[in-house]
């Protein structure tokens, strides 16, 4: 196997593919990246048995076709350390891979490509496509609410649901829920629900760099595949039943508060400084056209903020984890935000005051 390619052309797909590869592996071949040369196209593959990523890049000078696996991190570090604009000549002889550039020469150990695990082919039952920017918005607006290492393993991921030709993405960790709906109809799609694992969500989000280019999504019974011209991403799905999120959405929230998003975000950021470091609780006191935010901690220190809001109705006092509120205010856009409440023991519903595509539910705290 032999080819040459510019450093910059190789580094972009190599970085993405190496991101999937875990540092500590049970199988030695899993810490390697597989290189396959066919004609003038080089494919790079990395996997951790849950997520697989294949990047494709044309080589400058095609030599001898072949396939081999080399240590992922070392190859990335070598490419990064070479000067910008340099060319790399890659060759494999007698089980060793040689990387040459200018006056530098590196010899890397290899493992045979036949030992490299691959995800099964023919996985898809449903296919649709959308713009990369649209998919990135769906992920960015909800992924912060995914659970981390929860025993309810189906919460350590994100629900992708197609219902009545509408694509919806939902994430929850039991304390808060985020939901974003794709505004355009996916015609001809049957109803389905799949749970993409946390690592799959985060890796997929890293790939969505070209906003206006299409990305094709294929859903199977236990895999999801995303394809563009430059890469193919495959992830196993979480085998489990996602909770019925519709039941969580507050239906009878009659106390509606409308406030400036940035003002609220800054007020919560300031009061958070003196909240309990472990529980992060803040108290919201609602009265006509005014919202008081109060935080205190075990050292008897207090922070108070008063934010003007639009509100008509009875007073209310309710506690929240301030981190959850800040997460939501961080992903919402638009000038104003709408907060719907009913009583101190019921969840709050947050959304953009103008028609938005996202809904957020945050559970209250007893303070």
């Amino acid at each position: 196997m032999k080819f040459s390619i510019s450093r910059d052309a190789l580094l972009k797909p190599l970085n993405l593919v190496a991101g999937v590869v875990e540092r500590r592996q049970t199988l030695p071949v899993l810490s390697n990246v597989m290189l396959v040369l066919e004609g003038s196209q080089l494919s790079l593959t990395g996997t951790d048995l849950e997520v697989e990523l294949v990047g494709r890049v044309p080589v400058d000078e095609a030599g001898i076709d072949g396939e081999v696996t080399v240590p992922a991190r070392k190859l990335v570090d070598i490419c990064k350390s070479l000067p910008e604009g340099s060319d790399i000549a890659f060759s494999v002889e007698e089980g060793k891979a040689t990387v040459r550039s200018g006056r530098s020469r590196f010899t890397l150990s290899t493992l045979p490509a036949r030992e490299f695990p691959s995800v099964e082919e023919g996985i898809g039952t449903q296919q649709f496509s959308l713009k990369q920017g649209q998919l990135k918005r769906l992920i960015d607006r909800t992924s912060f609410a995914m659970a981390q290492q929860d025993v309810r393993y189906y919460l350590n991921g994100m629900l992708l649901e197609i219902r009545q030709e509408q694509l919806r993405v939902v994430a929850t960790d039991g304390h808060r829920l985020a939901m974003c709906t794709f505004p355009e109809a996916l015609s001809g799609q049957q109803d389905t629900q799949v749970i993409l694992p946390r690592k799959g969500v985060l890796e997929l989000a890293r790939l969505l760099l070209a906003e206006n280019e299409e990305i094709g999504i294929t859903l199977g019974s236990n895999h999801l595949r995303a394809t563009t011209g430059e890469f193919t991403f495959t992830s196993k799905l979480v085998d489990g039943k996602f909770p019925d999120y519709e039941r969580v959405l507050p239906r009878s929230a009659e106390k509606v508060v409308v406030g400036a998003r940035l003002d609220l975000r800054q007020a919560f950021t300031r009061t958070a400084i003196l909240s309990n470091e472990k529980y992060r609780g803040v108290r919201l006191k609602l009265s006509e056209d005014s919202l008081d935010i109060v935080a205190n901690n075990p050292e008897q220190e207090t922070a108070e903020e008063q934010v003007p809001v639009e509100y008509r109705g009875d007073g209310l006092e309710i506690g929240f984890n301030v981190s959850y509120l800040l997460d939501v205010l961080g992903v919402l856009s638009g000038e104003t935000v709408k907060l719907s409440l009913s009583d101190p023991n019921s969840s709050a519903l947050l959304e953009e005051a103008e028609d938005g595509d996202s809904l957020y539910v945050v559970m209250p705290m007893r303070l």
Side-chain angles (χ1 to χ4, degrees):
M1 179 177 176
K2 196 175 176 185
F3 64 88
S4 63
I5 186 169
S6 77
R7 164 197 179 269
D8 306 344
L10 179 62
L11 200 51
K12 187 184 166 195
L14 184 59
N15 257 333
L16 290 173
V17 168
V20 174
V21 177
E22 295 282 351
R23 285 178 187 271
R24 295 185 297 281
Q25 283 296 354
T26 44
L27 290 167
V29 76
L30 288 181
S31 52
N32 282 13
V33 55
M34 180 164 75
L35 305 175
V36 180
L37 183 67
E38 288 176 4
S40 64
Q41 173 143 302
L42 177 69
S43 305
L44 304 97
T45 309
T47 184
D48 67 351
L49 297 181
E50 185 179 273
V51 175
E52 179 194 76
L53 182 60
V54 184
R56 292 178 286 274
V57 61
V59 298
D60 299 340
E61 214 173 289
I64 305 157
D65 286 8
E67 53 181 26
V68 71
T69 79
V70 293
R73 290 284 7 137
K74 289 174 185 168
L75 186 57
V76 170
D77 291 343
I78 287 169
C79 290
K80 277 185 179 167
S81 65
L82 290 170
E84 280 184 31
S86 55
D87 288 325
I88 295 172
F90 187 95
S91 59
V92 180
E93 282 161 18
E94 297 168 10
K96 292 282 185 198
T98 308
V99 179
R100 285 191 182 83
S101 177
R103 295 179 182 176
S104 315
R105 180 169 174 272
F106 306 88
T107 310
L108 291 168
S109 63
T110 68
L111 286 168
R114 63 174 180 275
E115 291 180 17
F116 200 80
S118 66
V119 177
E120 64 209 70
E121 285 297 319
I123 57 168
T125 50
Q126 250 179 300
Q127 292 179 321
F128 60 90
S129 66
L130 65 167
K131 296 262 194 304
Q132 290 186 32
Q134 294 168 328
L135 181 59
K136 187 162 173 55
R137 178 185 170 86
L138 290 173
I139 293 176
D140 288 349
R141 289 206 142 209
T142 51
S143 59
F144 68 87
M146 291 187 292
Q148 292 186 41
Q149 297 170 328
D150 197 301
V151 289
R152 297 165 293 181
Y153 57 92
Y154 48 82
L155 296 184
N156 302 323
M158 178 182 279
L159 175 76
L160 270 117
E161 178 187 66
I162 299 175
R163 192 196 299 178
Q164 295 166 354
E165 301 189 342
Q166 278 260 286
L167 172 65
R168 179 174 283 174
V169 174
V170 186
T172 180
D173 62 3
H175 302 287
R176 69 275 186 67
L177 177 141
M179 179 172 98
C180 188
T181 308
F182 184 55
E184 296 166 32
L186 300 173
S187 53
Q189 294 293 332
Q190 61 204 55
D191 292 4
T192 187
Q193 276 197 347
V194 299
I195 304 173
L196 189 59
R198 184 182 173 84
K199 174 161 183 184
V201 173
L202 299 177
E203 288 300 329
L204 181 55
R206 285 180 56 211
L207 303 174
L208 304 170
L209 302 171
E211 273 202 11
N212 295 319
E213 287 182 26
E214 291 279 315
I215 182 164
I217 306 284
T218 309
L219 301 177
S221 51
N222 40 16
H223 285 91
L224 174 142
R225 177 165 285 172
T227 316
T228 69
E230 289 164 4
F231 62 81
T232 303
F233 164 90
T234 312
S235 172
K236 280 187 176 171
L237 298 172
V238 177
D239 183 20
K241 179 93 179 75
F242 202 79
D244 179 9
Y245 63 88
E246 293 272 352
R247 283 176 47 208
V248 182
L249 301 177
R251 292 273 172 247
S252 60
E254 67 278 350
K255 295 179 166 63
V256 178
V257 185
V258 177
R261 184 178 66 89
L262 284 173
D263 292 355
L264 285 167
R265 189 179 173 187
Q266 287 162 2
F268 282 127
T269 307
R270 289 191 291 267
T271 42
I273 298 167
L274 295 186
S275 66
N276 184 319
E277 285 175 19
K278 189 175 175 193
Y279 301 111
R280 309 279 291 158
V282 294
R283 195 177 277 114
L284 274 61
K285 296 176 181 172
L286 192 57
S287 53
E288 234 173 71
D289 286 344
S290 165
L291 175 66
D292 290 358
I293 307 164
V294 182
N296 44 23
N297 61 18
E299 290 85 39
Q300 308 292 310
E301 298 165 331
T302 57
E304 292 181 24
E305 287 275 342
Q306 193 172 32
V307 186
V309 291
E310 289 173 34
Y311 173 67
R312 290 269 180 278
D314 300 337
L316 174 72
E317 198 169 309
I318 185 168
F320 288 107
N321 179 325
V322 68
S323 303
Y324 296 163
L325 296 175
L326 284 170
D327 283 345
V328 174
L329 294 172
V331 293
L332 284 173
S333 52
E335 298 278 314
T336 50
V337 53
K338 187 164 109 187
L339 173 68
S340 309
L341 304 158
S342 54
D343 61 68
N345 301 319
S346 302
S347 303
L349 183 71
L350 287 98
E351 58 195 308
E352 279 141 355
E354 305 85 36
D355 292 336
D357 55 3
S358 318
L359 285 178
Y360 301 91
V361 179
V362 181
M363 295 270 287
M365 267 177 88
R366 283 207 177 89
L367 289 175

